[in-house]
Amino acid sequence: MIPHLRKLFNESFTEEKYQSFLKDLDLKHPGAIEFRIAETPVFLPDNFREKMLSACESIVDIVTAPGFKTASDQAIPMGDFVPGTESNPSFIAFDFGICLNEKNELEPQLIEMQGFPTLYAFQVYYPEMIQKHFPMTRNMTQYLGGYDRPSYLKALKKILTGDSDPENTILLEIKPHEQKTRIDFYCTQDYFGILPVCITELTEEGNQLFYFHPEKKKKIRVKRIYNRVIFDDLHAQGDSLGKHIDLKKQWDVEWIPHPNWFYRISKHTLPSIRHPYVPHTEFLNQVVSIPSDLENYVLKPLFSFAGQGVIIDIKPEDISSVKDPENWILQKKVNYAPVIQTMDEPAKAEIRIMYIWPENAARPVPAINLARLSKGKMIGVRYNKDRSWVGGSVAFFRSEIPA
């Protein structure tokens, strides 16, 4: 997307360099990276970055407007509502597909968003390994909003630990050491001293929570929870987990972020957004007439994660068979453009712009990003089996204009 940088990277690329990079990347926590790492970063021009940020800021305007919480109450399934103080959503992520418009110009189109954390720590470490092994990327950055490595880590630490000792903050997940994203948990521990703790490892005393610290050999009070538990996963695995705490009880903890934000900032918000880089979206129960060109739309369930349940090639009977149309959206299809030149067929890409909300700030700010490359119908492992130049990546922006 920055042609001369793409050309330079591809010409200097060798399989040996890539394997050496992967080997080095794995040294920090051997075997912890289960997802495929793409051969290349994405080189994004400044104007494309600004287009994405324009869409993000328009959504932030909605999220920070008076009355948003009340309006989004219905986004939370009744059985998943968590009581307690909902401070600002500490993390918001916006996913954009790289597309071509009718003028054959590159433009972003929003795919989804979430008021939930993602690989906020791994995306510090991983791009540094790229820069180590591919020197032509060293004048570039994955950071946004004026952040660099020191200022970003300082801001992230403050969000996660506040004024408490890091031992009083835990990263809460279901079987964290079995999650495919566990490398991010380990990087979080490396940078901030925050341990990943399984929901089954917490004990309760009244409305207080405790965990056993394996190194300090003592029980420690939990004051802040960096929440990585997704209720879909909890519902699916709950019966097999054995005894565990009820997240929906009002605990004496600070949530980072509060679990309700997962639903408040989600697909449920999409129908209220009007922006050139946000595809038109309607709740299915509010669609007046079914479009005749259904091939240009996708049907998505509100309460699903990681693309589960999405119907790409819609048939009229798919719509008529929906029993709860108020829990589905009909969205204009985003057509990813295969614009990343690789050694064989070009790849498509999705960019996740990751916001943080510093304490006392009036609104959240962009901070860092990740990218995913695909050559299949959708972004995701099952659509990209046995393909190269696909998988997890990062978007690099020019931090210095080459002379």
Side-chain angles (χ1 to χ4, degrees):
M1 293 180 62
I2 301 179
H4 75 278
L5 294 180
R6 169 53 53 209
K7 184 172 185 291
L8 182 61
F9 184 91
N10 287 13
E11 287 176 347
S12 64
F13 178 87
T14 65
E15 184 63 25
E16 291 73 23
K17 285 183 182 179
Y18 174 57
Q19 293 302 325
S20 176
F21 155 66
L22 291 179
K23 183 178 179 180
D24 205 1
L25 187 66
D26 188 60
L27 286 177
K28 191 176 185 73
H29 294 284
I33 304 175
E34 277 196 36
F35 52 90
R36 191 180 195 282
I37 299 293
E39 284 82 343
T40 180
V42 179
F43 303 114
L44 284 183
D46 296 344
N47 64 343
F48 195 89
R49 176 192 60 204
E50 295 310 310
K51 288 177 180 179
M52 289 190 293
L53 293 178
S54 169
C56 292
E57 290 298 311
S58 73
I59 299 168
V60 168
D61 287 342
I62 293 172
V63 172
T64 55
F68 176 77
K69 268 191 186 178
T70 301
S72 62
D73 279 347
Q74 59 186 321
I76 306 169
M78 189 175 298
D80 289 346
F81 179 83
V82 177
T85 302
E86 291 184 42
S87 53
N88 293 330
S90 310
F91 306 98
I92 309 176
F94 303 93
D95 292 344
F96 291 92
I98 298 178
C99 306
L100 288 172
N101 62 21
E102 62 279 359
K103 297 179 182 178
N104 209 38
E105 299 167 335
L106 288 170
E107 71 173 24
Q109 285 291 322
L110 185 76
I111 305 299
E112 210 159 274
M113 57 190 171
Q114 57 185 46
F116 191 79
T118 179
L119 308 184
Y120 278 86
F122 181 62
Q123 291 305 112
V124 175
Y125 165 65
Y126 153 65
E128 291 173 352
M129 288 295 101
I130 295 178
Q131 291 170 325
K132 175 182 175 181
H133 287 265
F134 300 96
M136 56 83 62
T137 65
R138 289 175 187 169
N139 284 338
M140 310 193 78
T141 183
Q142 74 270 36
Y143 297 103
L144 297 154
Y147 283 105
D148 57 13
R149 187 184 198 274
S151 61
Y152 172 74
L153 288 176
K154 180 180 179 181
L156 191 53
K157 182 178 188 296
K158 181 66 173 175
I159 289 171
L160 294 176
T161 63
D163 297 321
S164 301
D165 189 299
E167 71 175 21
N168 297 119
T169 298
I170 61 165
L171 187 157
L172 186 65
E173 178 56 291
I174 302 165
K175 300 179 181 178
H177 303 292
E178 297 178 19
Q179 296 289 337
K180 288 188 176 181
T181 54
R182 64 186 178 273
I183 183 61
D184 185 66
F185 308 162
Y186 301 155
C187 288
T188 301
Q189 183 175 350
D190 293 340
Y191 293 135
F192 310 117
I194 297 170
L195 295 184
V197 175
C198 181
I199 192 172
T200 61
E201 296 171 335
L202 291 176
T203 58
E204 58 185 277
E205 294 181 13
N207 67 344
Q208 295 182 347
L209 294 172
F210 297 83
Y211 75 104
F212 185 79
H213 198 296
E215 294 176 4
K216 298 183 179 181
K217 306 295 183 186
K218 64 177 182 178
K219 183 174 71 174
I220 292 177
R221 165 89 187 277
V222 177
K223 296 181 180 178
R224 299 166 71 86
I225 294 177
Y226 181 27
N227 183 47
R228 304 296 286 264
V229 176
I230 294 171
F231 276 109
D232 272 6
D233 291 343
L234 187 56
H235 296 326
Q237 300 184 54
D239 292 340
S240 64
L241 287 176
K243 185 178 179 181
H244 59 85
I245 66 158
D246 180 3
L247 287 185
K248 297 186 287 296
K249 183 176 173 180
Q250 187 156 346
W251 301 106
D252 183 16
V253 297
E254 292 182 69
W255 291 97
I256 326 280
H258 192 283
N260 292 344
W261 285 112
F262 177 82
Y263 292 111
R264 294 191 187 281
I265 304 175
S266 64
K267 291 188 284 289
H268 189 274
T269 316
L270 291 174
S272 63
I273 304 167
R274 296 292 179 265
H275 191 280
Y277 306 134
V278 178
H280 183 77
T281 306
E282 291 184 80
F283 291 111
L284 188 58
N285 67 326
Q286 295 178 5
V287 174
V288 177
S289 60
I290 303 302
S292 58
D293 58 336
L294 274 179
E295 68 275 8
N296 293 321
Y297 290 82
V298 292
L299 190 61
K300 297 181 178 181
L302 286 179
F303 306 118
S304 71
F305 186 70
Q308 298 176 53
V310 174
I311 301 175
I312 304 172
D313 300 315
I314 311 175
K315 300 177 179 64
E317 53 266 31
D318 294 323
I319 293 177
S320 60
S321 66
V322 172
K323 300 295 190 292
D324 55 342
E326 70 280 3
N327 292 326
W328 290 73
I329 56 172
L330 189 65
Q331 184 181 54
K332 194 79 172 177
K333 186 177 287 185
V334 170
N335 293 310
Y336 293 79
V339 294
I340 312 297
Q341 297 302 316
T342 76
M343 298 309 184
D344 46 37
E345 62 179 311
K348 307 165 188 174
E350 187 172 285
I351 311 298
R352 175 171 294 174
I353 302 295
M354 298 149 66
Y355 272 58
I356 60 175
W357 197 324
E359 188 178 1
N360 300 322
R363 55 196 282 136
V365 292
I368 202 166
N369 83 90
L370 61 79
R372 294 186 293 174
L373 271 61
S374 172
K375 292 179 180 178
K377 185 176 285 190
M378 285 181 69
I379 303 287
V381 175
R382 59 180 169 170
Y383 297 99
N384 289 279
K385 289 180 180 177
D386 304 320
R387 302 197 187 202
S388 61
W389 291 63
V390 297
S393 186
V394 66
F396 274 138
F397 310 106
R398 287 183 285 201
S399 55
E400 295 179 11
I401 303 300

